[in-house]
């Protein structure tokens, strides 16, 4: 349910823009309101599960997610949808960490690997099915139904949980770090608000400046609070381990690239390339299938060659894939323009994901593996949330610049130019004002499509740069041999 929702909503963004008359900033908030609460509170959800009961928190998350999905499905305005998406994020923070925690509690070390492998297989399948199913529902029924499909899934999850999942908890778990969670949430919210509103208010607006200053200040304060806590939400001493900090920095760069890419890519296919919602949902299947088929093989590369090689080569191949996405223009054919980049990106990600997970888990002692996994998950989600906010603003600025340049050659009247420049936040959904003659409207639409492709190419190139940065981090901070974990961890223990 959670993994389907994570991919299905991006395909619906163009439909949400059209039916709810939303700007780019509005649909950014559809993604960000969910991701913000999930990112900030996922570690709290895991801690609550340890103390009050993992099954109880998991079920609370499932029920909350289902109710919020009903609210999303019945939303008729963008504001209502954003409220319910925020509730979905809160529920997901209880739901997502609970699933792996239940597996860890219910299986011994010998069988746990197979159980997690089965879990990973099902999440990959649902990640792949989400966009395809969502695209079909959007095209043939309505975008509302991408949320309603969570109801039968929730009912099934609740039934299975009551019949087959025993309750478990950790009697030695510490108190929940509510102060740290609150500061992280408000800090992220302020940063996201500042970056998103910059595209409409401008960087010099007092509200934008104040939001960014407050956000940065809150996150710096969060670090000081976590240092003083006996049971912090984020154990900062783990970052003294060079391998762990390097793996998380790599995660941040790479998942920032993925977060913004899969935000703008559906907009490109539907609004500019004129693909159907179903075709758009199926476009990324080669990447997902390659990751599914090659992950077991790539996981074995760590024991054979050490983690540095795959974690350097994988992101570099992914960077090539992102660069290839910057090549196609308007009305590009899928098999020539987008299929080859997805193959390259899929190989790069398949080489990276399993070794990265292995490095994160092996970089700390077994007693800290849960915290390490939770932090890495949170880092990946925060990276995606911030990338959509920051690079979304870059995309809007590039689109506005390109459109302004191309409109100058059309000799349009001042009213039309003012309308178009005032609504650049619509991006590919922008159209000529009502009453424009047919020939002029056609020329304007052509310029809008070209401006969007200009912005998309810039974002794809920046994604490639982020992937290259993650490869550089791997080369500098990830050890050549897997056995170096013991040295890193013992060094951190001595520093403690």
């Amino acid at each position: 349910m959670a993994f389907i929702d994570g991919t299905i909503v991006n395909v619906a963004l163009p439909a949400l823009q059209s039916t709810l008359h939303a700007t780019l900033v509005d649909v950014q908030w559809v993604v960000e309101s969910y991701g913000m609460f999930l990112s900030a509170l996922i570690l709290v959800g895991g801690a609550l599960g340890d103390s009050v009961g993992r099954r109880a928190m998991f079920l609370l998350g499932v029920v909350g997610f289902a109710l919020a999905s009903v609210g999303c499905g019945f939303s008729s305005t963008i504001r209502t949808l954003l409220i319910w998406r925020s509730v979905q994020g809160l529920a997901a923070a209880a739901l997502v960490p609970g699933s792996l925690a239940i597996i860890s509690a219910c299986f011994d070390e010998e069988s746990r690997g197979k159980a997690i492998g089965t879990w990973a297989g099902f999440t990959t399948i649902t990640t792949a099915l989400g966009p395809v199913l969502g695209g079909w529902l959007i095209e043939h029924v309505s975008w509302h139904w991408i949320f309603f499909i969570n109801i039968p899934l929730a009912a099934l999850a609740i039934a299975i949980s009551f019949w087959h999942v025993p309750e478990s908890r950790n009697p030695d778990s510490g108190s929940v770090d509510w102060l740290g969670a609150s500061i992280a949430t408000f800090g992220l919210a302020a940063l996201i608000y500042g970056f998103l509103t910059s595209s409409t208010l401008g960087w010099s607006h007092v509200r934008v400046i104040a939001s960014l200053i407050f956000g940065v200040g809150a996150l710096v304060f969060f670090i000081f609070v976590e240092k003083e806590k006996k049971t912090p939400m984020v154990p900062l001493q783990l970052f003294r381990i060079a391998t762990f900090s390097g793996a998380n920095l790599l995660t941040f760069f790479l998942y920032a690239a993925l977060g913004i890419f899969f935000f703008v890519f559906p907009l490109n296919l539907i609004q500019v390339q004129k693909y159907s919602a179903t075709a758009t949902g199926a476009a990324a299947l080669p990447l997902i299938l390659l990751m599914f088929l090659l992950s077991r093989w790539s996981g074995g590369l760590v024991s054979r060659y050490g983690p540095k090689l795959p974690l350097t080569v994988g992101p570099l191949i992914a960077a090539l894939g992102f660069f290839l996405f910057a090549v196609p223009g308007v009305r590009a054919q899928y098999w020539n323009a987008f299929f080859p980049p997805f193959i390259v990106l899929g190989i790069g990600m398949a080489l990276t994901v399993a070794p990265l997970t292995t490095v994160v888990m092996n970089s700390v002692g077994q007693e800290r593996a849960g915290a390490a996994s939770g932090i890495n998950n949170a880092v990946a989600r925060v990276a995606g949330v911030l990338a959509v906010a920051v690079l979304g603003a870059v995309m809007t600025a590039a689109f506005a610049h390109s459109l302004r340049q191309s409109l100058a050659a059309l000799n349009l009247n001042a009213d039309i130019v003012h309308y178009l420049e005032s609504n650049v936040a619509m991006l590919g959904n922008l159209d000529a004002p009502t009453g424009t003659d047919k020939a002029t409207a056609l020329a304007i639409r052509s310029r809008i499509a070209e401006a969007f492709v200009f912005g998309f190419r810039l974002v794809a190139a920046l994604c490639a740069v982020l992937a290259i940065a993650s490869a550089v981090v791997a080369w500098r901070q990830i050890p050549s041999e897997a056995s170096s974990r013991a040295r890193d961890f013992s060094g951190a223990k001595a520093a403690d």
Side-chain angles (χ1 to χ4, degrees):
M1 184 167 65
F3 278 86
I4 283 177
D5 197 82
T7 55
I8 203 172
V9 171
N10 284 357
V11 180
L13 296 180
L16 294 175
Q17 254 196 299
S18 298
T19 58
L20 299 180
H21 308 290
T23 65
L24 176 71
V25 174
D26 292 330
V27 294
Q28 281 178 292
W29 274 116
V30 172
V31 174
E32 302 286 73
S33 56
Y34 172 83
M36 179 183 68
F37 283 104
L38 175 56
S39 303
L41 300 177
I42 190 170
L43 294 175
V44 170
L48 281 173
D50 289 339
S51 58
V52 305
R54 298 181 179 97
R55 187 182 72 169
M57 282 301 297
F58 180 77
L59 286 170
L60 178 65
V62 171
V63 172
F65 202 95
L67 293 175
S69 297
V70 173
C72 290
F74 281 116
S75 296
S76 57
T77 66
I78 193 70
R79 180 174 294 183
T80 307
L81 179 60
L82 293 181
I83 292 171
W84 285 113
R85 284 287 287 167
S86 299
V87 178
Q88 264 193 328
L90 288 168
L95 164 64
V96 172
S99 59
L100 275 176
I102 287 171
I103 289 176
S104 296
C106 293
F107 292 87
D108 57 31
E109 285 192 30
E110 291 184 5
S111 56
R112 191 177 298 150
K114 291 182 178 178
I116 292 175
T118 304
W119 175 91
F122 274 99
T123 60
T124 303
I125 291 169
T126 54
T127 300
L129 286 177
V132 181
L133 176 60
W136 187 89
L137 288 171
I138 293 161
E139 191 175 346
H140 297 284
V141 190
S142 167
W143 66 262
H144 299 272
W145 282 89
I146 68 168
F147 297 107
F148 291 144
I149 61 172
N150 289 328
I151 310 309
L153 292 174
L156 188 60
I158 291 168
I160 292 172
S161 297
F162 274 119
W163 290 341
H164 293 288
V165 178
E167 183 60 280
S168 63
R169 58 177 56 86
N170 179 9
D172 299 323
S173 61
S175 59
V176 177
D177 182 12
W178 290 112
L179 178 60
S182 301
I183 296 170
T185 303
F186 284 115
L188 270 178
L191 279 179
I192 293 166
Y193 179 82
F195 283 119
L196 293 190
T197 54
S198 67
S199 60
T200 53
L201 299 178
W203 291 102
S204 59
H205 196 281
V206 64
R207 203 187 305 168
V208 173
I209 296 172
S211 296
L212 294 177
I213 291 174
F214 179 83
V216 172
L219 294 182
V220 171
F221 182 52
F222 170 78
I223 294 173
F224 285 103
V225 168
E226 296 301 281
K227 280 183 178 180
E228 300 300 321
K229 277 277 185 179
K230 289 185 178 180
T231 55
M233 184 174 79
V234 179
L236 295 178
Q237 65 268 29
L238 291 182
F239 288 94
R240 297 178 186 173
I241 304 171
T243 303
F244 180 77
S245 59
N248 278 285
L249 187 57
L250 188 162
T251 298
F252 185 87
F253 287 141
L254 192 57
Y255 279 84
L258 290 171
I260 184 60
F261 177 80
F262 282 106
F263 176 81
V264 298
F265 184 71
L267 298 174
N268 184 10
L269 287 197
I270 292 175
Q271 294 179 344
V272 176
Q273 310 297 343
K274 304 304 179 185
Y275 285 31
S276 69
T278 306
T280 300
L285 280 178
L287 179 149
I288 297 168
L289 291 175
L290 277 171
M291 291 178 63
F292 177 70
L293 294 172
L294 298 180
S295 288
R296 182 180 177 89
W297 167 77
S298 67
L301 294 176
V302 175
S303 58
R304 183 177 298 181
Y305 301 106
K308 175 176 288 201
L309 182 62
L311 290 181
T312 303
V313 174
L316 288 176
I317 295 174
L320 176 60
F322 285 126
F323 272 127
L324 291 175
F325 276 112
V327 174
V330 181
R331 296 286 180 151
Q333 297 295 315
Y334 175 77
W335 294 106
N336 296 329
F338 299 118
F339 178 73
F342 268 124
I343 293 295
V344 176
L345 182 59
I347 293 171
M349 291 304 300
L351 276 170
T352 306
V353 172
L356 179 59
T357 304
T358 303
V359 166
V360 169
M361 299 301 285
N362 289 346
S363 64
V364 301
Q366 183 62 39
E367 71 277 8
R368 298 187 178 187
S373 176
I375 290 171
N376 188 248
N377 197 334
V379 166
R381 295 178 185 279
V382 168
V385 166
L386 290 179
V388 170
V390 178
L391 296 185
V394 172
M395 171 81 181
T396 303
F399 173 80
H401 170 77
S402 178
L403 185 63
R404 193 178 301 112
Q405 296 279 326
S406 61
L407 289 178
L410 293 181
N411 295 317
L412 301 171
N413 70 56
D415 289 339
I416 294 178
V417 173
H418 177 74
Y419 171 83
L420 294 171
E421 292 185 351
S422 299
N423 290 279
V424 290
M426 301 292 289
L427 283 187
N429 202 42
L430 180 62
D431 201 354
T434 306
T436 307
D437 67 88
K438 188 174 181 180
T440 303
L442 191 63
I444 289 173
R445 292 187 190 109
S446 175
R447 299 304 194 277
I448 290 170
E450 291 169 0
F452 186 98
V453 169
F454 175 81
F456 179 80
R457 284 171 169 168
L458 177 60
V459 169
L462 290 173
C463 289
V465 171
L466 287 168
I468 292 171
S470 65
V472 172
V473 170
W475 183 255
R476 292 177 62 87
Q477 287 194 249
I478 302 299
S480 299
E481 298 183 15
S483 60
S484 64
R485 191 273 308 167
R487 292 194 300 275
D488 274 356
F489 184 65
S490 61
K493 291 286 282 186
D496 287 345

